[in-house]
Amino acid sequence: MFDVGADRYGAFMGRWSEPLADGFVALAGVRPGDTALDVGCGPGALTERLVARLGPGAVAAVDPSAPFVDAARTRLPGVDVRRASAEELPFPDGSFDAALAQLVVHFMGDPVAGLREMARVTRAGGTVAACVWDHAHGSGPLAAFWQAARDLDPDVHDEAALPGSRRGDLARLLGEAGLRDVEDTTLTVTRRFDDVARWWDPFTLGVGPAGAYVATLDDVARAALRARCAELLPRPPFTVDAVAWAAVGRVAGRP
């Protein structure tokens, strides 16, 4: 699902995740002089924003996907990029001032454990922040796709039930992981598309649950899904507003 080249991921999600990263870094309150960890860095969209603010020596990143780790290392020389899962971060306690997870919590095997690990490697009083697309209320970047898929296949498994995808769920997960003073909000990204093809084509690249679903379809079913998406989308050229849930918490003091 995510064992794909960085170029494919960039074409599919980078168009959304890169502008999202700008707002997410600002929300997390990362400031020059801080050290930060990007958990689930992918090809490095958020990592790049952190480096621009903090410098490469102050930033580390992890991802379980080998192609993404290689891409992030190439993209950001000087950054400590390692292959690891959120649930087993390879850093000592209190290593960072902030740990951020952009579009990752809903894919963690154990979200609470992953967030707890992020808190462990962050100093007392430091920041843990996460954001996840609104897949459950129809305002995420893939809303039209999944609506079309459900219209044609009522049994399709979309991303609405994934952890953090519903209002308030991400803040709840941070609280269960032991973060304090948790605040939740939303971030919105707007993208313009000249035609349906530019919106649709990345769904055929096999990235994420949506790409995996398209890959299961034969040519007829795929054409029907594309046509239904076109019916749901505004008339070209059009814009899509994509909303992400975001939550920020503080690490409690340690004994």
Side-chain angles (χ1 to χ4, degrees):
M1 188 163 58
F2 288 105
D3 191 19
V4 297
D7 54 343
R8 291 193 175 199
Y9 180 85
F12 176 71
M13 188 51 66
R15 54 187 177 167
W16 302 103
S17 60
E18 297 207 0
L20 178 67
D22 294 322
F24 187 41
V25 169
L27 177 68
V30 177
R31 300 171 295 179
D34 286 348
T35 55
L37 172 66
D38 181 1
V39 176
C41 65
L46 175 62
T47 320
E48 186 173 64
R49 269 61 174 186
L50 292 170
V51 168
R53 185 165 294 201
L54 307 178
V59 177
V62 298
D63 197 278
S65 165
F68 287 173
V69 168
D70 291 342
R73 286 173 176 167
T74 300
R75 181 177 186 174
L76 299 163
V79 175
D80 181 3
V81 184
R82 307 186 194 183
R83 187 178 183 187
S85 69
E87 294 87 349
E88 296 184 30
L89 296 174
F91 303 101
D93 295 359
S95 296
F96 304 96
D97 296 301
L100 289 74
Q102 174 171 291
L103 308 179
V104 174
V105 169
H106 52 317
F107 293 123
M108 290 181 182
D110 185 336
V112 173
L115 291 166
R116 190 178 292 123
E117 266 289 271
M118 291 172 64
R120 179 187 66 77
V121 302
T122 303
R123 65 167 176 82
T127 299
V128 171
C131 64
V132 172
W133 292 123
D134 172 21
H135 291 304
H137 300 279
S139 62
L142 311 183
F145 173 87
W146 286 119
Q147 181 61 59
R150 289 191 298 270
D151 290 346
L152 299 174
D153 178 6
D155 295 325
V156 69
H157 294 289
D158 60 19
E159 300 176 62
L162 293 178
S165 296
R166 295 180 176 274
R167 184 187 305 274
D169 195 36
L170 197 54
R172 176 187 63 80
L173 292 170
L174 264 69
E176 290 183 9
L179 279 302
R180 60 178 176 82
D181 302 328
V182 177
E183 299 180 1
D184 61 342
T185 185
T186 59
L187 297 168
T188 301
V189 173
T190 300
R191 290 302 309 265
R192 182 182 187 275
F193 297 91
D194 292 330
D195 52 47
V196 173
R198 298 208 174 192
W199 178 91
W200 165 260
D201 287 350
F203 286 96
T204 67
L205 300 176
V207 181
Y213 177 71
V214 172
T216 68
L217 304 177
D218 60 27
D219 291 344
V220 173
R222 187 177 300 191
L225 178 58
R226 185 190 188 283
R228 180 57 183 150
C229 287
E231 292 174 352
L232 294 174
L233 292 166
R235 185 174 181 176
F238 59 90
T239 59
V240 175
D241 293 332
V243 175
W245 308 116
V248 180
R250 302 294 173 189
V251 177
R254 295 185 174 87

